[in-house]
Amino acid sequence: MFVRPLRRLLGRPLAVSYFHTTPTSWASRKVIKKFNLADIGEGITECEVIKWNVKPQASVQAFDTLLEVQSDKASVEITSPFEGTVKELLVQEGEIAKVGSGLCLIETEEETTEEQESPSPVQEKPAPAAEQPKVTPVETLPPSLPLSDTPFTPRRPHPLDPSNKSSEHKSSRPDLVLAAPSVRHLARQMGIDLGLLVPGSGKNGRIERNDVEAALAARNQAGAKESVSQASQLPQAEDVVVELGRTRYGMWKAMVKSLEIPHFGYSTTLDITSLHDLLPVLNAHIPPHYLPEHARPPAPISVNPSAIYPAPSSQPVPKSQQYTRLTYLPFLIKTLSKAMIEWPLFRSSLTPSSSTSTDTSKPSLTVRPNADIAVALSTPTGLYTPTLQSANTHTIYSLAAQLKYLSHLGRQVPCGLTPKEMPKRGGTITVSNIGAIGAGDFASPVLVPGGGVAIVAIGRAKWAWDVDGDNEHGQRRLKLGVSWSGDHRIVEGAELAAFVECWRSYVEHPQRLIGEGI
């Protein structure tokens, strides 16, 4: 019964079939990528990191803002080129980053493909017709054929594969090894080169924490032996090179330019005894809106000042401008502004020669209608000179609030001062309150280009026995040393001395402010 099917089978052309399929399986692996500071142009080689918008372990998308950097010319926001998780910040806020150096480490996922081939029937090859009759069926095995149509390329062994003989030549590049971010951080702190630990004890040659600790122990043991052999030699400290930050470098350039200005110095003492006696009265009557919530006096319950008509109310003051006591500085600035109104020369600033002028080398003066006074402010990030604009229009209380606000912005890291508090043209007189730090009486302040026509350093107020007054036996008075430096290209010595005497008449007789309506 099997003769007919067998004949049919033998009468057909002999066919051999081979099958080939390549199913692709997708997988992903996590990779740590270092994000470097790119060249932002204009010949800039370094930038200061002003603010990080992300923290370690934060997820970021491509084009999300990572940080803000500032150079000598501009402030730039830098976005993320990767999508992943921020593992480590390599440069902290306030530090300098070189172009091409790493800013942070970002863990990303990369897709990989793994080809798996298996034979399957895809083609038929007919046998020649001459071989068709009377062929005895035998078991035929397919010849060895390539699994794909493309030429076979041997897979390159992984550098961390333990079976890779080339891995014996250990790399000194830590960025080419497999290690967790925590292990990289530990190795960086301990000064261990991960490239010298390849392959590690982990899976696929991954370097584990115990590998780093073992290398550290070996290094410490070698160092102990070396220290024993060199016990007679005393260790010598090495010099450390520290680069200037952006703010301090700006101060360096300004001080170099200050050598172009011929300075005229003038020092004297002010008697602030009357001001000292007046200060408790002023502190006892600080307007309530300048006081913190806990220091405000309770409102009267039985009497309402707005019973007939709404009484005028002051604008609310932010907490950063509130205070509980006055100091001498707001009063000194207020009286200085009064003297500046009487002396237009000290409300002027040097103006570069314009293109319409016939003599291009002849400068001019611009006299301002109000007294703009800059205040030297020492902050954790450097020296700044914010400006109290139109100080003559402020009260002593509002000047104290402005000074408190500028101090609040300066204490922030990074510095919170903006171009609003630091206009480009600045003040015409700068005040430096060095007495708030040291016990010095006098100083030699330096005037920089664009810093106005004069600068004054205020020392520490001290009680002294004064025998120059009307009392022939002398009396105890509170004296304040002040040191002036003027731009001698604009201000004459006699003019600076007369201006200081005008200021003295307000400081030593504060009752004048009452007659002039403050």
Side-chain angles (χ1 to χ4, degrees), residues 176-194:
L176 298 181
V177 303
L178 287 177
S182 59
V183 177
R184 294 179 183 272
H185 180 68
L186 175 63
R188 188 180 300 108
Q189 283 187 332
M190 299 304 176
I192 301 297
D193 188 357
L194 293 180

Side-chain angles (χ1 to χ4, degrees), residues 4-319:
R4 173 175 276 179
L6 181 59
R7 289 179 178 176
R8 289 181 180 179
L9 178 61
L10 297 178
R12 292 181 181 179
L14 182 61
V16 180
S17 300
Y18 303 99
F19 300 91
H20 172 261
T21 59
T22 307
T24 302
S25 61
W26 294 89
S28 63
R29 62 190 181 98
K30 294 185 178 181
V31 179
I32 301 293
K33 293 186 177 181
K34 180 186 292 186
F35 178 38
N36 297 329
L37 176 62
D39 187 2
I40 60 179
E42 300 183 358
I44 296 173
T45 59
E46 62 182 16
C47 296
E48 180 181 355
V49 176
I50 299 300
K51 179 183 179 182
W52 277 100
N53 294 331
V54 296
K55 295 181 178 180
Q57 307 303 325
S59 299
V60 294
Q61 303 292 329
F63 302 104
D64 284 354
T65 302
L66 287 179
L67 72 160
E68 180 181 355
V69 299
Q70 185 168 2
S71 65
D72 293 337
K73 300 181 180 180
S75 177
V76 181
E77 289 186 348
I78 298 180
T79 58
S80 173
F82 312 121
E83 176 182 350
T85 304
V86 177
K87 305 302 292 183
E88 183 180 354
L89 305 182
L90 302 180
V91 183
Q92 303 302 322
E93 293 181 353
E95 295 182 353
I96 300 298
K98 298 285 187 180
V99 171
S101 63
L103 293 175
C104 64
L105 298 179
I106 301 179
E107 183 183 63
T108 62
E109 290 189 358
E110 289 186 351
E111 292 183 347
T112 59
T113 60
E114 183 179 352
E115 296 183 356
Q116 300 176 353
E117 296 85 1
S118 62
S120 60
V122 294
Q123 58 182 0
E124 292 184 355
K125 294 184 179 180
E131 299 179 2
Q132 294 180 7
K134 297 181 181 181
V135 178
T136 304
V138 295
E139 182 179 359
T140 306
L141 297 176
S144 137
L145 295 178
L147 298 180
S148 63
D149 297 334
T150 59
F152 175 73
T153 303
R155 184 176 180 183
R156 181 175 62 87
H158 195 277
L160 301 181
D161 191 348
S163 62
N164 182 14
K165 296 182 179 180
S166 62
S167 64
E168 297 177 0
H169 305 284
K170 298 182 178 180
S171 171
S172 61
R173 295 186 57 184
D175 56 334
L176 298 181
V177 303
L178 287 177
S182 59
V183 177
R184 294 179 183 272
H185 180 68
L186 175 63
R188 188 180 300 108
Q189 283 187 332
M190 299 304 176
I192 301 297
D193 188 357
L194 293 180
L196 302 178
L197 304 182
V198 175
S201 60
K203 184 178 181 181
N204 297 328
R206 181 182 293 271
I207 298 177
E208 303 292 346
R209 184 182 183 92
N210 55 356
D211 298 330
V212 178
E213 293 176 348
L216 180 62
R219 188 183 67 178
N220 293 339
Q221 184 177 3
K225 293 181 180 180
E226 184 179 358
S227 61
V228 171
S229 62
Q230 300 178 354
S232 58
Q233 299 180 1
L234 296 177
Q236 297 181 357
E238 297 181 356
D239 295 342
V240 178
V241 179
V242 180
E243 296 186 2
L244 297 180
R246 178 182 58 87
T247 304
R248 197 168 294 274
Y249 178 59
M251 182 178 68
W252 180 85
K253 293 189 294 185
M255 291 299 107
V256 172
K257 291 183 180 180
S258 69
L259 300 176
E260 303 174 0
I261 301 177
H263 286 59
F264 174 80
Y266 183 81
S267 300
T268 186
T269 57
L270 303 178
D271 189 341
I272 60 172
T273 307
S274 299
L275 174 59
H276 174 75
D277 298 336
L278 179 63
L279 208 57
V281 179
L282 298 177
N283 280 324
H285 296 84
I286 296 177
H289 60 284
Y290 289 116
L291 294 172
E293 190 71 28
H294 64 86
R296 295 178 184 176
I301 301 178
S302 58
V303 180
N304 184 10
S306 302
I308 299 178
Y309 187 80
S313 59
S314 301
Q315 294 293 333
V317 175
K319 291 184 178 180

